[in-house]
Amino acid sequence: MDTQRSVALVTGASRGIGAAIARRLARDGYTVIVNYSGSAGAAETLVAEIERDGGHAITAQADVSDAAAVARMFDAAEAAYGGVDVLVNNAGIMRLAKLADSDDALFDSQIAVNLKGTFNTLREAARRLRDGGRIINMSTSVVGLYLPTYAVYAATKAGVEAMTHILTKELRGRRITVNTVAPGPTATSLFLDGKPQEVVDHLAKAAPLERLGQPEDIASAVAFLAGPDGAWINGQTLRANGGII
C-alpha cells in the first residue's frame, strides 16, 4: 500500500486513542478523515493541527450507530477522494456496572455504538473499501481479563472480534486485511473518568511493564497493521496491553 496516496477513515477520532491514531496515520502519509459524532470543535482543532504539521485531513460528522449517516460519510469520502483505503473502527463508549445493576439504557447504548456502529461501518467497507485496503477494529483486553462490571462492554467487543474473523473470509480475493487491536488500560478519559485513584494505580501496576498504556502506544499498533509491514497479518487480534494478559 502506498500510504502517500491512501485515504484512512478513523471513527471517533476527535480525542483520545482515535486522535492519536489520526495523528500517526497523517504522519505516515495518509489523508485522514477525522470522524466525530458530537465534538465538532475538537475534530476541527485536530484537523488544523495535522494540516499545520504538513499532513492532510478533513472532518466528517456521523453517529456510527446511524446506518444512513455512515453511508453518507462513505459517500462524502468517495466524492472527495474517490474512496477509502483504510478503515479504523475506533468509536466506542464504555459504561460500567455489575450485571445485576445494568439497566436497559446501559445495555442498549453500548450495543448501538460499539457493536451496531462497528457493524454499520464494516458493512459499508465490505461493499466499498478499495481492493488492497485495511480494516482495523478496536476491541479490549477485558475480553480475556473478564473483570467485574465490564460484562456488557466486553460482550460488545467480543462481538466485534467475531465479526473481524468472519469478514476476513468474506473478503477473500480482494487483498483486504481485517484485524483487531485490543488495548489494555490506557490513559484516556474513557478509561480514567469515574475511577478512584487507587484503582487506576492498581491497573497501572498490573502489567509486567508497570504503567498505563498511552494513546500513542495503541496508534503504533494500528499503524503497523495499516501499513506495508502488516500486509501478511489477517484475522488476528493484537493485544496491545503491556503484557497484562
Side-chain angles (χ1 to χ4, degrees), residues 10 13 17-27 32-34 46 50 219:
V10 184
I17 290 173
I21 292 169
R23 290 187 190 98
R24 173 58 189 268
L25 294 181
R27 288 201 305 272
V32 179
I33 300 172
V34 176
L46 176 60
I50 289 171

Side-chain angles (χ1 to χ4, degrees), residues 5-241:
R5 286 181 285 187
S6 295
V7 177
L9 169 58
V10 184
T11 69
S14 62
R15 59 180 184 165
I17 290 173
I21 292 169
R23 290 187 190 98
R24 173 58 189 268
L25 294 181
R27 288 201 305 272
D28 288 352
Y30 297 88
T31 295
V32 179
I33 300 172
V34 176
N35 163 256
Y36 68 96
S37 178
S39 302
E44 290 164 3
T45 297
L46 176 60
V47 165
E49 175 191 330
I50 289 171
E51 296 278 347
R52 186 173 61 248
D53 291 341
H56 302 284
I58 61 170
T59 62
Q61 194 282 329
D63 179 349
V64 295
S65 69
D66 181 342
V70 170
R72 289 193 297 269
M73 180 168 61
F74 273 81
D75 289 341
E78 289 175 353
Y81 302 116
V84 175
D85 302 282
V86 176
L87 168 65
V88 182
N89 271 315
N90 172 76
I93 61 174
M94 181 169 63
R95 295 173 180 168
L96 306 180
K98 291 182 178 179
L99 201 61
D101 301 326
S102 297
D103 59 19
D104 288 353
L106 180 148
F107 181 89
D108 292 343
S109 62
Q110 291 183 97
I111 291 292
V113 176
N114 299 351
L115 188 57
K116 179 65 157 53
T118 299
F119 165 77
N120 287 336
T121 56
L122 289 179
R123 179 167 56 183
E124 293 300 325
R127 296 168 175 170
R128 303 164 73 165
L129 203 74
R130 287 192 280 230
D131 289 356
R134 306 277 195 271
I135 298 172
I136 300 104
N137 298 319
M138 300 302 291
S139 181
T140 172
S141 289
V142 175
V143 179
L145 287 171
Y146 298 118
L147 299 173
T149 75
Y150 284 83
V152 177
Y153 178 71
T156 65
K157 295 301 190 176
V160 167
E161 292 188 17
M163 288 192 291
T164 295
H165 293 299
I166 292 169
L167 188 56
T168 60
K169 298 174 175 64
E170 294 177 350
L171 293 177
R172 176 185 290 273
R174 292 181 56 192
R175 297 178 291 108
I176 295 173
T177 66
V178 191
N179 293 288
T180 304
V181 173
T186 305
T188 66
S189 59
L190 180 70
F191 170 75
L192 295 172
D193 286 355
K195 288 186 174 67
Q197 188 59 47
E198 58 268 24
V199 172
V200 173
D201 292 342
H202 171 75
L203 290 170
K205 291 292 186 181
L209 296 182
E210 295 189 325
R211 67 171 176 86
L212 292 178
Q214 296 299 314
E216 292 75 19
D217 295 320
I218 313 308
S220 294
V222 171
F224 163 67
L225 293 172
D229 290 342
W232 191 234
I233 312 301
N234 196 21
Q236 305 303 311
T237 296
L238 174 57
R239 287 176 168 167
N241 61 26

